[in-house]
Amino acid sequence: MSRFIFTLLIVSGLAWPAIAATVAADLPSLLADGPRPVWVFFTDKGAMEGDAAALSAAREHLSEPALARRTRVLESTLVVGWHDLPNDPAYLGWLRAHGLAIRAESHWLAAVSVVADAEALELLAAAPFVDRLQPVRGAERRDLPLSPMAAAARTDLVPPLDYGPSGPGLEQINVPAVHELGYSAEGVIVGMLDTGFNLTHEALAGIDVLGAWDFINDDAIVSNEPGDSDLQDYHGTVTLSAIAGFMPGQLIGPAYGASFYLAKTEDTTDETPAEEDFWVEGIEWLEANGCDVVSSSLVYDDWYTFEDFD
């Protein structure tokens, strides 16, 4: 994204003095409309860098499946590094001491998100340990046309499972043939990033959930809770059931039998529901727990160009 160093900027009649950190070009104008979530990227990991004890402690936060997957993918036993180190507690303490509550924290990015106003932006930009500032991005909801089902179920293959209405879609990607060979998703750990999950739904009875966390409310409740909209957990329940639902005659997901970590990261009551900071916390949590595959049925494209997707 385009960024530049501010020397002087006039926004809604406010004069911005010279500041040190790199600030996203559109951030001051966005904050002129009121406080909003802002990413604060640190220059380094501070006292954590080069600390063997801190690196060893970071390793303890990774599950054995996560370490095994990294070893397999990287073809190396040196799989814990700088990106796993926590952010310097002194940096976090400075933010809190100046009244900035931390919404989300990323070890990988060496960053946190806070709700900032124009005054806080000036304060943050002058902090010597802040490298750059940019808004937490979002995407407005869009109503997309639904595509009709492209093909009916084949008649030359009798699946061993009763897929019901889910059969034609699974046929398009040849799932029944794989199931006939005796494969399910047993032994695979799948991570989900979505709005929430209603695990009492009959299609999800018996699903193996290894862990769940609500990154919006910082608790372990990923179904609807007080303050949520009635439809908060709808989309996540749909995507989870599409993957792992098992209700013969009605719905069978291609990856039934998998184990799951569920991350509730999307607030459906917000006008810009795709909050990246909760997503970042969620993906780091899923990776640390050893997920083999992550499902993220979310969109983050309105604020980006094609070149940003690198």
Side-chain angles (χ1 to χ4, degrees):
M1 299 178 190
S2 60
R3 306 184 182 98
F4 59 89
I5 303 293
F6 278 75
T7 54
L8 180 66
L9 181 65
I10 306 298
V11 179
S12 300
L14 296 176
W16 290 78
I19 50 182
T22 303
V23 180
D26 58 343
L27 185 51
S29 60
L30 292 174
L31 295 187
D33 296 328
R36 60 163 293 150
V38 173
W39 277 116
V40 181
F41 292 88
F42 301 130
T43 55
D44 50 41
K45 293 292 181 78
M48 299 293 104
E49 293 201 25
D51 186 336
L55 195 61
S56 178
R59 185 183 183 92
E60 295 301 315
H61 287 283
L62 299 172
S63 69
E64 289 302 320
L67 293 169
R69 190 200 62 254
R70 288 188 181 189
T71 299
R72 181 178 68 251
V73 173
L74 299 176
E75 298 181 343
S76 171
T77 58
L78 302 175
V79 295
V80 181
W82 183 90
H83 57 279
D84 295 302
L85 289 172
N87 293 309
D88 192 325
Y91 298 168
L92 306 182
W94 186 93
L95 294 173
R96 295 188 178 102
H98 286 81
L100 293 165
I102 295 172
R103 275 171 50 100
E105 180 178 1
S106 171
H107 294 174
W108 291 357
L109 301 178
V112 297
S113 70
V114 300
V115 175
D117 56 16
E119 182 180 356
L121 177 65
E122 183 176 353
L123 180 71
L124 288 166
F129 54 83
V130 174
D131 178 65
R132 67 187 190 278
L133 302 164
Q134 65 186 55
V136 172
R137 298 299 187 178
E140 296 288 350
R141 287 196 178 279
R142 292 175 295 170
D143 294 324
L144 301 177
L146 298 177
S147 300
M149 188 165 289
R154 283 167 45 189
T155 58
D156 61 338
L157 179 64
V158 179
L161 297 171
D162 184 0
Y163 295 101
S166 64
L170 296 179
E171 286 285 355
Q172 293 182 50
I173 53 176
N174 214 25
V175 166
V178 177
H179 286 170
E180 280 194 319
L181 294 175
Y183 292 105
S184 69
E186 185 177 357
V188 177
I189 302 176
V190 179
M192 302 287 297
L193 294 154
D194 221 299
T195 62
F197 311 89
N198 177 11
L199 299 179
T200 66
H201 194 285
E202 55 191 335
L204 299 174
I207 189 172
D208 183 21
V209 177
L210 301 177
W213 194 257
D214 177 349
F215 287 89
I216 303 168
N217 299 305
D218 283 326
D219 59 40
I221 304 172
V222 293
S223 58
N224 284 354
E225 55 186 307
D228 286 340
S229 73
D230 292 340
L231 296 177
Q232 173 68 42
D233 63 9
Y234 173 78
H235 188 268
T237 305
V238 169
T239 59
L240 180 59
S241 62
I243 293 172
F246 193 83
M247 188 178 177
Q250 295 293 324
L251 171 69
I252 294 180
Y256 75 90
S259 298
F260 289 85
Y261 281 92
L262 307 178
K264 178 179 174 180
T265 62
E266 298 301 300
D267 184 356
T268 62
T269 63
D270 201 315
E271 285 300 316
T272 55
E275 294 299 323
E276 291 180 336
D277 49 356
F278 296 141
W279 189 95
V280 168
E281 281 194 321
I283 193 71
E284 293 188 21
W285 178 72
L286 295 176
E287 194 277 334
N289 279 293
C291 293
D292 301 299
V293 181
V294 169
S295 168
S296 177
S297 180
L298 310 167
V299 60
Y300 298 94
D301 64 351
D302 284 14
W303 295 88
Y304 294 111
T305 66
F306 179 80
E307 288 73 23
D308 290 321
F309 293 106
D310 58 2

